[in-house]
Amino acid sequence: MSLTEAQRGEIAAQRAETTPTHRPTVPALETLLFEPSPVLDHGFVRVIDYMGDDAAVVQAARVSYGRGTRRVSEDAGLIRYLMRHRHTTPFEMCEIKYHVKLPIFVARQWIRHRTANVNEYSARYSILDREFYLPAPEHLAAQSSVNRQGRGAVLEGGEAAHVLDLLREDATRCYDHYAEMLNEDATGAALDPSRQGLARELARMNLTLSTYTQWYWKIDLYNLFHFLSLRADAHAQYEIRAYAEAMLGTVAAWVPVAHQAFLDYRLGAVTLSAQMLKVVRRMLAGESVEQANSGLNRREWAELMAALTPN
């Protein structure tokens, strides 16, 4: 990730500003505010603003007038109870706003989560930067033979090098043609005064999905946990998982008690169906259970065995 001197100056100016407030603040998150955390080769995640903290979750659950005088252990116990029993609305009382720079193909996967407020950089009005995502060699993999939406073995040697060359050449060529069609520099001045140039809203269609875009993304804590439960999961696509893991770090600083409850009851937990639970009870009773007499289909049986097998 590379920031221009102007961008670094903007961030430094933001961090230098202080504003008196009666709102609760979180010192651990304040130290991260505005600072970009690198993700992938040119991307980043940074916290722009937030509202609420662990105490706000507790306050909403108890509908109290202030932040309360109960012991921290009691507050933690309540938050864990809320998470465990899926009492979601208290977590909606906290919100956070991120500035994210990400490849377009990751953005299109990300936008499927429709519970946030989003404002994306507009290529109708501005020229996109000459930056595109190139996977590290260890993330170049063949299509999985058992998972239609997953990766298999990592490509090696000449094949991996050839794929990287193709990705780099295609992205470079498409951006070069994009710039040629625009016929303008970053200030809007014509590169070739003898040509008009194509409208930005049309020229952008030539860019590859690896091109980087940016957006502001604001979401409440409950829906952020839902997003992270899917995108920070080991089965998520690596590129979006990298962003989710960076965001998990900011959540740990922001709401450490709720973050730990999320790890324990969501991200690190599994859900068993009623039929799966019956199988586990039969096993605990000493019965020998196989897939054929379990009442589960092969996929359900495989998922149950994976859940019960130590890592």
Side-chain angles (χ1 to χ4, degrees):
M1 181 194 71
S2 57
L3 297 176
T4 66
E5 287 303 315
Q7 290 169 332
R8 292 183 186 279
E10 290 176 3
I11 293 171
Q14 284 179 307
R15 289 182 59 79
E17 292 180 4
T18 57
T19 305
T21 179
H22 292 297
R23 290 194 303 118
T25 58
V26 181
L29 189 58
E30 290 286 324
T31 63
L32 301 178
L33 208 58
F34 308 126
E35 285 285 359
S37 297
V39 184
L40 303 182
D41 49 0
H42 300 294
F44 62 72
V45 168
R46 66 188 189 117
V47 179
I48 299 300
D49 199 1
Y50 68 97
M51 180 186 75
D53 57 6
D54 279 324
V57 177
V58 172
Q59 183 184 23
R62 293 182 176 138
V63 196
S64 62
Y65 288 94
R67 292 171 67 77
T69 58
R70 293 175 185 264
R71 291 179 298 178
V72 172
S73 60
E74 293 178 340
D75 288 350
L78 176 56
I79 287 174
R80 293 178 66 81
Y81 175 88
L82 295 171
M83 182 71 71
R84 190 164 63 249
H85 292 279
R86 299 182 182 273
H87 295 299
T88 60
T89 50
F91 296 103
E92 294 176 6
M93 299 299 111
C94 297
E95 291 193 343
I96 192 165
K97 180 165 64 177
Y98 292 100
H99 176 195
V100 187
K101 183 176 181 181
L102 67 172
I104 291 173
F105 76 92
V106 177
R108 297 304 163 255
Q109 185 181 44
W110 190 317
I111 205 68
R112 293 288 299 160
H113 298 268
R114 295 167 290 173
T115 51
N117 304 114
V118 187
N119 196 66
E120 187 175 359
Y121 185 95
S122 175
R124 293 187 68 194
Y125 301 104
S126 304
I127 299 174
L128 289 168
D129 293 332
R130 188 189 183 91
E131 290 180 323
F132 34 83
Y133 170 63
L134 290 177
E138 63 268 24
H139 296 301
L140 283 176
Q143 177 64 43
S144 170
S145 59
V146 295
N147 183 354
R148 293 184 180 180
Q149 59 178 11
R151 305 181 190 186
V154 174
L155 301 182
E156 297 180 355
E159 185 176 8
H162 179 60
V163 168
L164 280 174
D165 286 343
L166 289 176
L167 291 172
R168 186 181 298 105
E169 290 169 7
D170 288 350
T172 301
R173 182 177 63 254
C174 287
Y175 192 92
D176 287 344
H177 290 168
Y178 166 70
E180 181 180 347
M181 288 187 289
L182 287 172
N183 191 36
E184 59 178 323
D185 61 20
T187 68
L191 297 175
D192 181 355
S194 67
R195 293 193 294 116
Q196 283 187 299
L198 188 66
R200 294 174 186 177
E201 67 179 23
L202 290 172
R204 63 180 173 169
M205 66 183 173
N206 198 55
L207 293 169
T208 68
L209 292 177
S210 63
T211 306
Y212 273 85
T213 185
Q214 300 183 42
W215 62 30
Y216 271 40
W217 195 70
K218 180 173 71 70
I219 193 167
D220 67 60
L221 182 58
Y222 164 68
N223 284 297
L224 177 57
F225 278 148
H226 178 69
F227 171 85
L228 294 174
S229 69
L230 296 173
R231 301 308 184 180
D233 184 87
H235 299 94
Q237 182 172 340
Y238 163 73
E239 285 77 13
I240 198 168
R241 190 170 75 247
Y243 284 92
E245 289 171 351
M247 295 166 76
L248 264 176
T250 67
V251 174
W254 175 32
V255 283
V257 177
H259 170 264
Q260 188 59 54
F262 168 71
L263 295 184
D264 293 341
Y265 298 121
R266 291 292 180 273
L267 196 60
V270 295
T271 300
L272 299 183
S273 67
Q275 291 79 8
M276 289 177 173
L277 186 57
K278 288 180 181 178
V279 169
V280 172
R281 286 170 174 162
R282 288 167 61 188
M283 290 178 172
L284 290 174
E287 183 178 345
S288 177
V289 185
E290 302 293 337
Q291 190 267 316
N293 67 352
S294 67
L296 304 177
N297 62 38
R298 282 181 292 181
R299 176 169 290 186
E300 290 174 318
W301 177 260
E303 290 174 359
L304 177 60
M305 293 300 101
L308 297 179
T309 302
N311 293 330

